[in-house]
Amino acid sequence: MSVRKSLFLSFAQRNGTLLIQFMSSLLIARLLTPHEIGIFSIGSVIVAFSHVVRDFGVANYIVQEKDLTRDRLRSAQAIVWIASLSIATVLAVFADWAGRFYAEPGVTLTMQVLALNFVIIPFGSVTMALLVRNMDFAKTLQINLACCVVQNATAIGLAWAGFGFISLAWGAVASTLLSSVVLLWFRFPGQSWLPGLREWRHVFSAGFKLSSSTFLYDIGQGGPELICGRTLGFEAVAFFSRGFGAASMLLRALVDGIVPVANAYYAKKAREDASIREPYLTAISYLAVVALPAFAMLVLLAKPLILVLYGVQWESAALPMQIMAVGFGCIALANISGAVLVGSGQIGTNLRMNAIFQPLKVAMVFAVSSWGLSWVAWAVALADVGLATYSIAKANEVAGASWGDLTLGLLPAVYVAAGTVLVSFGVLSLIGSVQPSVNLLVGGATAMVTWGALLFALRHPLAGELRALRRSRA
């Protein structure tokens, strides 16, 4: 499958699921209170850490391993089973303590329900990793879209029926069950049903570095919510989570379709000992000219966006979202550099990066958490900027690119972002303070027109790609 087709299918999958989740979040925000969503957020964040450990990086290992033998695949399956069942047991026991720690039995119930996922996931996780390794994104598109529909339909239906915060947990379990059943159907010819341990040391060694890096990343993602839940309360967690979630939704729309393809592509290039300099610089240049203007506009339109999407009860989520958008703009670019590091086998470098910046983020959040949500958001944003800078510097070394090469690709994106925001701000200033929906519509439309005009005026390479795409469909 070609890279362009893989990107198209991956974008269709990621943004299709994102659209479904977005529409679902609008309904959930009106069916559940901030306090209820805060309860689920705390329980799900704790469980999210366990998801990293449950496969010890086996999925990423399968994608990037040059010599993936039958014994190594069976050992990977064994590690997934052992880790998943062990974690399910630990979570079931630990859930009661977590509920007492937060003085909220709902946290216990959330963790117990979500622990069921760990019993189900091993039936399909290795097959999914093999589909990604083979860049078979047509099948992953079908699986993930179907699971997303089931998850959100279940959650909304249960919330509508009055089941409260636990509706979200049962939606996740329904999705996992469907995914595992479908992946049994998509198993590869000759794929062993029985796990093995002959190559467990090799698989565990490589996977441990990958899972440690992901675990540290998840600590940086979920740690601020856990700290806020203890120091600022469940409503503060909900506002932080809503602002963080809205900003990360934009991030996911931009990069989630790219990252799986980029990981598989750079891993393939590494197996072939081919140069990745030009593909790396092109990818980061194209992403920057979309991501930087998008996050700049998110800062400008944060308040009307929150009011239109979630209602006036969520207005306090706007400021944290504006602040964190600064870091998310940098993290968007770091997704390309991270794919270069993982795909080219620089697992140790990726681990060191996360070992430095993710604990630093949590420490910064802890230090300022009693001062309010804005300070927490700034701590998160500054740590993300530092991590992105480090990641790009290391990817430059691997790809054989300099900061000068990178700057040539990023400067046009900065010009486009600045021009888009200035024109949009000017138009919004002219119409004055009106309904949030009007501000959002006018600001968004102005930004899109200005972005397109600047893209073609500056003759950015992405403009040429868009022209070619238009001609191919004519």
Side-chain angles (χ1 to χ4, degrees):
M1 184 180 291
S2 69
V3 174
R4 278 188 172 85
K5 185 176 181 181
S6 296
L7 280 171
F8 173 77
L9 291 172
S10 186
F11 264 108
Q13 169 203 310
R14 301 291 176 158
N15 287 290
T17 57
L18 188 63
L19 178 61
I20 295 167
Q21 290 168 348
F22 170 68
M23 299 303 294
S24 173
S25 71
L26 301 184
L27 293 173
I28 291 295
R30 287 160 173 80
L31 292 172
L32 301 179
T33 66
H35 183 79
E36 287 178 306
I37 292 177
I39 293 172
F40 175 77
S41 295
I42 292 295
S44 62
V45 164
I46 297 172
V47 174
F49 293 145
S50 305
H51 272 287
V52 180
V53 181
R54 55 102 180 153
D55 75 346
F56 283 97
V58 163
N60 282 328
Y61 163 78
I62 290 172
V63 172
Q64 61 89 37
E65 173 59 55
K66 289 185 176 182
D67 184 21
L68 188 62
T69 64
R70 180 180 174 84
D71 283 334
R72 288 177 178 176
L73 203 55
R74 291 182 62 200
S75 296
Q77 181 71 73
I79 290 172
V80 170
W81 272 107
I82 293 169
S84 294
L85 295 180
S86 299
I87 291 169
T89 304
V90 170
L91 281 176
V93 174
F94 176 72
D96 184 60
W97 178 88
R100 291 199 305 272
F101 180 78
Y102 286 99
E104 174 53 65
V107 173
T108 299
L109 183 58
T110 298
M111 291 178 62
Q112 289 172 338
V113 172
L114 291 177
L116 295 174
N117 283 328
F118 291 90
V119 181
I120 304 169
I121 285 173
F123 287 98
S125 59
V126 169
T127 304
M128 178 61 85
L130 288 171
L131 290 174
V132 175
R133 176 184 174 90
N134 292 337
M135 299 180 74
D136 194 347
F137 294 103
K139 290 178 181 175
T140 62
L141 169 67
Q142 299 170 38
I143 295 168
N144 287 318
L145 282 179
C147 291
C148 186
V149 169
V150 168
Q151 176 175 353
N152 288 282
T154 303
I156 291 171
L158 291 175
W160 191 283
F163 284 85
F165 64 88
I166 204 62
S167 308
L168 302 173
W170 282 115
V173 173
S175 171
T176 303
L177 182 60
L178 176 63
S179 174
S180 295
V181 170
V182 174
L183 283 166
L184 290 175
W185 179 265
F186 283 142
R187 286 176 62 86
F188 285 72
Q191 184 180 342
S192 177
W193 287 93
L194 296 175
L197 294 172
R198 184 171 296 177
E199 289 276 1
W200 76 270
R201 288 183 177 84
H202 171 82
V203 177
F204 182 82
S205 176
F208 180 75
K209 291 181 180 178
L210 287 165
S211 65
S212 297
S213 180
T214 307
F215 181 70
L216 288 166
Y217 174 80
D218 279 2
I219 287 177
Q221 293 293 98
E225 289 188 47
L226 296 179
I227 293 170
C228 287
R230 184 65 175 173
T231 59
L232 298 176
F234 288 109
E235 285 200 5
V237 169
F239 291 134
F240 178 88
S241 178
R242 185 60 69 197
F244 182 88
S248 61
M249 198 174 291
L250 175 58
L251 177 69
R252 290 173 57 197
L254 294 173
V255 306
D256 272 15
I258 296 174
V259 171
V261 178
N263 280 337
Y265 175 77
Y266 291 129
K268 181 174 180 291
K269 287 292 184 181
R271 293 194 295 268
E272 297 170 351
D273 294 321
S275 172
I276 60 172
R277 181 179 178 277
E278 291 305 319
Y280 162 65
L281 291 174
T282 299
I284 207 165
S285 170
Y286 283 13
L287 180 57
V289 82
V290 178
L292 297 187
F295 281 105
M297 287 303 303
L298 186 64
V299 174
L300 183 63
L301 298 175
K303 186 174 179 179
L305 180 67
I306 289 292
L307 291 175
V308 170
L309 295 183
Y310 304 115
V312 70
Q313 67 173 337
W314 294 97
E315 185 176 352
S316 297
L319 181 57
M321 183 174 74
Q322 287 176 309
I323 297 169
M324 289 185 286
V326 176
F328 273 113
C330 298
I331 289 295
L333 306 186
N335 274 268
I336 298 296
S337 56
V340 168
L341 295 176
V342 173
S344 59
Q346 300 295 315
I347 302 172
T349 300
N350 200 49
L351 176 58
R352 283 192 297 275
M353 174 182 69
N354 282 290
I356 294 170
F357 287 98
Q358 303 302 348
L360 176 63
K361 181 192 294 186
V362 173
M364 291 168 63
V365 168
F366 181 77
V368 303
S369 61
S370 61
W371 298 351
L373 277 182
S374 297
W375 286 91
V376 171
W378 275 117
V380 171
L382 291 175
D384 283 344
V385 171
L387 183 147
T389 304
Y390 183 94
S391 176
I392 291 171
K394 292 301 180 182
N396 285 350
E397 294 177 8
V398 172
S402 67
W403 279 105
D405 296 328
L406 194 69
T407 301
L408 287 175
L410 294 182
L411 273 179
V414 174
Y415 298 149
V416 172
T420 301
V421 169
L422 286 174
V423 173
S424 301
F425 178 76
V427 171
L428 290 172
S429 298
L430 286 175
I431 67 172
S433 180
V434 292
Q435 288 294 324
S437 57
V438 176
N439 279 333
L440 188 60
L441 181 62
V442 172
T446 303
M448 290 180 66
V449 172
T450 307
W451 176 82
L454 290 172
L455 191 72
F456 284 91
L458 294 173
R459 297 181 180 179
H460 193 278
L462 182 59
E465 292 283 350
L466 295 175
R467 285 195 189 97
L469 179 62
R470 185 177 61 186
R471 285 196 298 268
S472 67
R473 294 191 172 187

